[in-house]
Amino acid sequence: MNDSLSPTDDPRLAGTPTDRISDAARTRFRIDPGWHFGFERLVEWSDVDAFRHANHTSFLLWFEAARNRYLQAAGLPRLSADTPGPVMMSLEARYLLPLAYYDPVFVTARVRSMRRTSFVMEYAAWGEAGCHASCTAVLVLMINATGEKVAIPDGVRTAIRALDAPSEEGA
Amino acid sequence: MNDSLSPTDDPRLAGTPTDRISDAARTRFRIDPGWHFGFERLVEWSDVDAFRHANHTSFLLWFEAARNRYLQAAGLPRLSADTPGPVMMSLEARYLLPLAYYDPVFVTARVRSMRRTSFVMEYAAWGEAGCHASCTAVLVLMINATGEKVAIPDGVRTAIRALDAPSEEGA
Amino acid sequence: MNDSLSPTDDPRLAGTPTDRISDAARTRFRIDPGWHFGFERLVEWSDVDAFRHANHTSFLLWFEAARNRYLQAAGLPRLSADTPGPVMMSLEARYLLPLAYYDPVFVTARVRSMRRTSFVMEYAAWGEAGCHASCTAVLVLMINATGEKVAIPDGVRTAIRALDAPSEEGA
Amino acid sequence: MNDSLSPTDDPRLAGTPTDRISDAARTRFRIDPGWHFGFERLVEWSDVDAFRHANHTSFLLWFEAARNRYLQAAGLPRLSADTPGPVMMSLEARYLLPLAYYDPVFVTARVRSMRRTSFVMEYAAWGEAGCHASCTAVLVLMINATGEKVAIPDGVRTAIRALDAPSEEGA
């Protein structure tokens, strides 16, 4: 991990928790060393369903926020219809332990592999008992207004390489 | 498929579309013959994100509604903390085609296999171009207030067998 | 009420409950005679929070769906960024009785008054005990892509007049 | 404002932005001096609808989170079915300016008046152009499992008085 991903230089993130994982967070949430990017949040009332646990889709919305922040920190323009944005092709999620209202949760994201226009990201949600849920998603970069697939920009690719050392393949 | 699953006998469903798949719906949405349970809805404004397509989590909430209706039609009590309810262990979803605001979508559900306390369900979302998304989920039946796993009740098991002929295994 | 609002002529609504209020629904939900447009739905699992009642924002999303259907039935184009769409200026809501998971709820909408570019709509959610919540909203018609206010189209105005006989004022 | 409301003593809030309004935030978001409690967040992708602005209900969910944090900081137990929790009776909201994806927004809350079991809260959402939306809500404190109204606990009342000096009335 080096400094090419510097979310805290973005004034939009001023006042929000840094997206680097501090040693304190890593210890408190038992986060594996293979993760470098994430942020803490609380389980909100709107995340919880009538079983009094965070609904399975709430985890996926946290992962969506983590994906967007990660890509923006890597240099992708803020999501819009006319710039390259990630579109989900498939996902797999495993739910290991529940989370209750107001539990702190640390959400992590990383890129596992990149191709020309698509990439595989992994996500996890960590509570004080360790990993509560994990997810793998295949995404393709697309101009949403036109549906056109676009190559991962070089600068973004470089920033991701520096943070997560993903495998890379042609096509 | 026989009559042991009779959602339309439930006065709670009076006024809602039947959850049997009509021939007209099957033709219009090109629904494969292996599906027997589902309902039509419209893509709501709240389902759609700023890319102007139904968000990937909206599909999963439709599938959640389909799961709950299916299980209730099979005789499971209406979801509550003190009665057996499905808890998601894992899911896999594939997103094939987007859906826009106000598009009609037909949501189907079926049980693929059952064990003693857990079962595998499949879901699909059909638009006028055919299958737009599919999903497989592993669920366990649990009393949410206590976290206790419970066996699938015999009557529910019988109703599911009659509708979907799932594979069954011990434990 | 006459036939100028004919939602069931819209093939998009084929298979969904009609948005005219049937006598049966009016009796069952004790709907006041001053309402002419609405539809029945069930309280979904995703509508309910950890107090096991529909969250206060769920009612507002039902009202949003009712607003969009009403306006589309009155001839407004399906919502998009480039066509006139309603933007909320203010709302008032009163919550009278709770609704639980899977309760049937009938959602009604009407226009109370129109000006040149803005209008006041009222909404209500009816359960089997009568009115559970009501809402009044002030909306302005706007091209969202540009922020430009636009006059209510004549055809839409005529259809609304025919259904709800709202008061009308200049500018 | 004094120290009886000390959210940052709550380890649950460790790592989250403090809920006191810093001078820097007050200047940046042009927050009126009459507000003492709030937090910054970003407009998430899930907050935004297909008009590419935060949906009107997203503001209300931010206000819900602010209400819950405020009351917990004032000493109310974390929300549960068996402890006193706020139930919304009515709300009024005014939408002044839109917010786009990833815009920073500062959400404030205060108590305007208290009676025995009910109270009036005000909320606002501040962007870099000042106030984007405001809301007033009437809430009643209730044990949700039983529906029983309960008096605002003395300690909570004292903490609220110290922060916001609300008017108070009998009954």
Side-chain angles (χ1 to χ4, degrees):
Chain A
M1 176 174 168
N2 69 15
D3 285 324
S4 57
L5 263 172
S6 16
T8 52
D9 293 338
D10 181 348
R12 291 293 160 180
L13 287 169
T16 66
T18 172
D19 291 336
R20 304 293 184 83
I21 304 175
S22 69
D23 290 344
R26 200 176 286 281
T27 301
R28 181 177 173 213
F29 292 102
R30 309 181 189 191
I31 299 169
D32 289 343
W35 300 89
H36 303 299
F37 188 93
F39 53 85
E40 184 179 344
R41 49 165 297 153
L42 293 167
V43 176
E44 298 285 0
W45 190 248
S46 57
D47 291 324
V48 173
D49 67 23
F51 282 157
R52 302 202 166 123
H53 291 140
N55 186 269
H56 78 284
T57 56
S58 300
F59 288 83
L60 300 181
L61 290 173
W62 306 336
F63 297 155
E64 177 179 85
R67 170 168 54 255
N68 292 342
R69 280 199 199 193
Y70 180 107
L71 293 173
Q72 191 167 326
L76 202 72
R78 189 198 293 209
L79 292 194
S80 80
D82 305 315
T83 55
V87 171
M88 185 162 290
M89 297 290 108
S90 66
L91 70 81
E92 295 181 26
R94 297 207 312 147
Y95 299 93
L96 308 172
L97 291 168
L99 282 166
Y101 170 60
Y102 214 67
D103 281 348
V105 53
F106 202 97
V107 183
T108 55
R110 65 184 173 198
V111 172
R112 192 172 72 191
S113 64
M114 292 190 279
R115 294 170 75 91
R116 198 180 70 83
T117 63
S118 69
F119 53 105
V120 176
M121 283 192 83
E122 295 176 327
Y123 312 95
W126 309 81
E128 288 176 342
C131 185
H132 284 239
S134 63
C135 180
T136 302
V138 179
L139 300 129
V140 65
L141 213 54
M142 202 175 273
I143 305 290
N144 264 270
T146 62
E148 177 200 4
K149 290 184 188 180
V150 292
I152 301 170
D154 285 345
V156 172
R157 195 178 286 270
T158 301
I160 291 172
R161 265 183 211 137
L163 189 69
D164 281 331
S167 66
E168 295 183 65
E169 301 167 65
Chain B
M1 176 175 168
N2 71 14
D3 286 322
S4 57
L5 263 172
S6 17
T8 51
D9 293 338
D10 181 348
R12 292 291 160 180
L13 286 170
T16 67
T18 173
D19 290 336
R20 304 294 183 84
I21 304 174
S22 69
D23 290 344
R26 200 176 287 280
T27 301
R28 180 177 172 214
F29 293 101
R30 309 181 187 190
I31 300 170
D32 288 343
W35 300 89
H36 303 297
F37 188 93
F39 52 85
E40 184 180 344
R41 50 164 296 153
L42 293 167
V43 176
E44 298 283 0
W45 189 247
S46 57
D47 291 324
V48 173
D49 66 24
F51 283 156
R52 303 205 166 122
H53 292 140
N55 186 268
H56 78 284
T57 58
S58 300
F59 288 82
L60 301 180
L61 291 173
W62 305 336
F63 297 156
E64 178 180 86
R67 171 168 56 253
N68 292 343
R69 279 199 199 195
Y70 181 106
L71 293 173
Q72 190 166 326
L76 202 72
R78 191 198 291 207
L79 290 195
S80 80
D82 305 316
T83 54
V87 172
M88 186 163 288
M89 297 288 107
S90 65
L91 70 81
E92 293 181 27
R94 297 207 313 148
Y95 299 94
L96 308 172
L97 291 168
L99 283 166
Y101 170 60
Y102 214 66
D103 280 348
V105 53
F106 202 97
V107 183
T108 55
R110 65 184 174 197
V111 172
R112 191 173 72 191
S113 65
M114 291 191 279
R115 294 171 73 91
R116 198 180 70 82
T117 63
S118 70
F119 53 106
V120 176
M121 284 191 84
E122 295 176 327
Y123 313 96
W126 309 81
E128 288 177 340
C131 185
H132 285 239
S134 62
C135 179
T136 302
V138 180
L139 300 129
V140 65
L141 213 53
M142 202 177 274
I143 306 291
N144 265 269
T146 63
E148 179 199 3
K149 289 183 188 182
V150 294
I152 300 170
D154 284 345
V156 172
R157 195 178 287 271
T158 301
I160 291 172
R161 264 183 213 136
L163 189 68
D164 280 332
S167 67
E168 295 184 64
E169 303 167 62
Chain C
M1 175 173 172
N2 71 12
D3 284 323
S4 57
L5 264 172
S6 17
T8 51
D9 292 339
D10 181 348
R12 292 292 159 180
L13 287 170
T16 65
T18 172
D19 291 336
R20 302 295 182 83
I21 305 174
S22 69
D23 290 343
R26 200 176 286 282
T27 301
R28 180 176 174 215
F29 292 102
R30 309 182 189 190
I31 299 170
D32 288 343
W35 300 88
H36 303 298
F37 189 93
F39 53 85
E40 185 180 345
R41 49 166 295 153
L42 294 167
V43 176
E44 298 285 359
W45 190 248
S46 57
D47 291 325
V48 172
D49 68 23
F51 282 156
R52 301 199 167 125
H53 292 139
N55 186 267
H56 78 284
T57 56
S58 300
F59 289 82
L60 301 180
L61 290 173
W62 306 335
F63 297 155
E64 178 179 85
R67 172 169 53 255
N68 292 343
R69 280 200 199 192
Y70 180 107
L71 293 173
Q72 191 166 327
L76 202 71
R78 191 197 292 207
L79 291 195
S80 81
D82 305 316
T83 55
V87 172
M88 186 163 289
M89 297 290 108
S90 66
L91 70 81
E92 294 181 26
R94 298 206 313 146
Y95 299 93
L96 308 172
L97 290 168
L99 283 166
Y101 170 60
Y102 214 67
D103 280 349
V105 52
F106 202 97
V107 183
T108 55
R110 65 185 173 197
V111 172
R112 193 173 71 190
S113 65
M114 293 191 277
R115 294 172 73 90
R116 198 179 70 84
T117 63
S118 70
F119 53 106
V120 176
M121 283 191 84
E122 295 176 326
Y123 312 96
W126 309 82
E128 288 176 342
C131 185
H132 284 238
S134 62
C135 180
T136 303
V138 179
L139 299 129
V140 65
L141 214 53
M142 203 176 273
I143 306 291
N144 264 269
T146 62
E148 178 200 2
K149 290 184 188 179
V150 292
I152 300 170
D154 284 345
V156 172
R157 194 178 286 270
T158 301
I160 291 173
R161 263 182 214 137
L163 188 68
D164 280 331
S167 66
E168 295 184 65
E169 300 167 64
Chain D
M1 176 174 171
N2 71 13
D3 285 323
S4 56
L5 264 172
S6 19
T8 52
D9 291 339
D10 182 349
R12 292 292 161 180
L13 287 170
T16 65
T18 174
D19 291 337
R20 303 297 183 83
I21 304 174
S22 69
D23 290 344
R26 200 176 287 282
T27 301
R28 182 177 172 214
F29 293 101
R30 308 181 188 191
I31 300 170
D32 288 342
W35 300 89
H36 303 299
F37 188 93
F39 53 86
E40 185 179 345
R41 51 165 294 152
L42 293 167
V43 176
E44 299 283 2
W45 190 248
S46 58
D47 292 325
V48 173
D49 66 24
F51 282 156
R52 303 203 166 124
H53 292 139
N55 185 268
H56 78 285
T57 58
S58 300
F59 288 83
L60 301 181
L61 291 173
W62 305 337
F63 297 155
E64 178 179 85
R67 171 168 54 255
N68 292 343
R69 279 199 198 193
Y70 180 107
L71 293 173
Q72 191 166 327
L76 202 72
R78 191 198 291 209
L79 290 195
S80 81
D82 305 316
T83 55
V87 171
M88 186 162 289
M89 296 290 106
S90 66
L91 70 81
E92 294 181 27
R94 298 207 312 148
Y95 299 94
L96 309 172
L97 290 169
L99 283 166
Y101 170 59
Y102 215 65
D103 280 348
V105 52
F106 202 98
V107 183
T108 56
R110 65 185 174 196
V111 173
R112 192 173 73 192
S113 65
M114 292 191 278
R115 294 171 73 92
R116 199 179 71 82
T117 63
S118 69
F119 54 104
V120 176
M121 282 191 84
E122 295 176 327
Y123 313 95
W126 308 80
E128 287 177 341
C131 186
H132 284 238
S134 63
C135 179
T136 302
V138 180
L139 300 129
V140 65
L141 214 54
M142 203 176 274
I143 306 291
N144 265 269
T146 63
E148 179 200 4
K149 289 183 187 180
V150 294
I152 300 169
D154 284 346
V156 172
R157 195 178 285 270
T158 301
I160 292 172
R161 264 182 212 136
L163 189 67
D164 281 331
S167 67
E168 295 184 64
E169 302 167 62

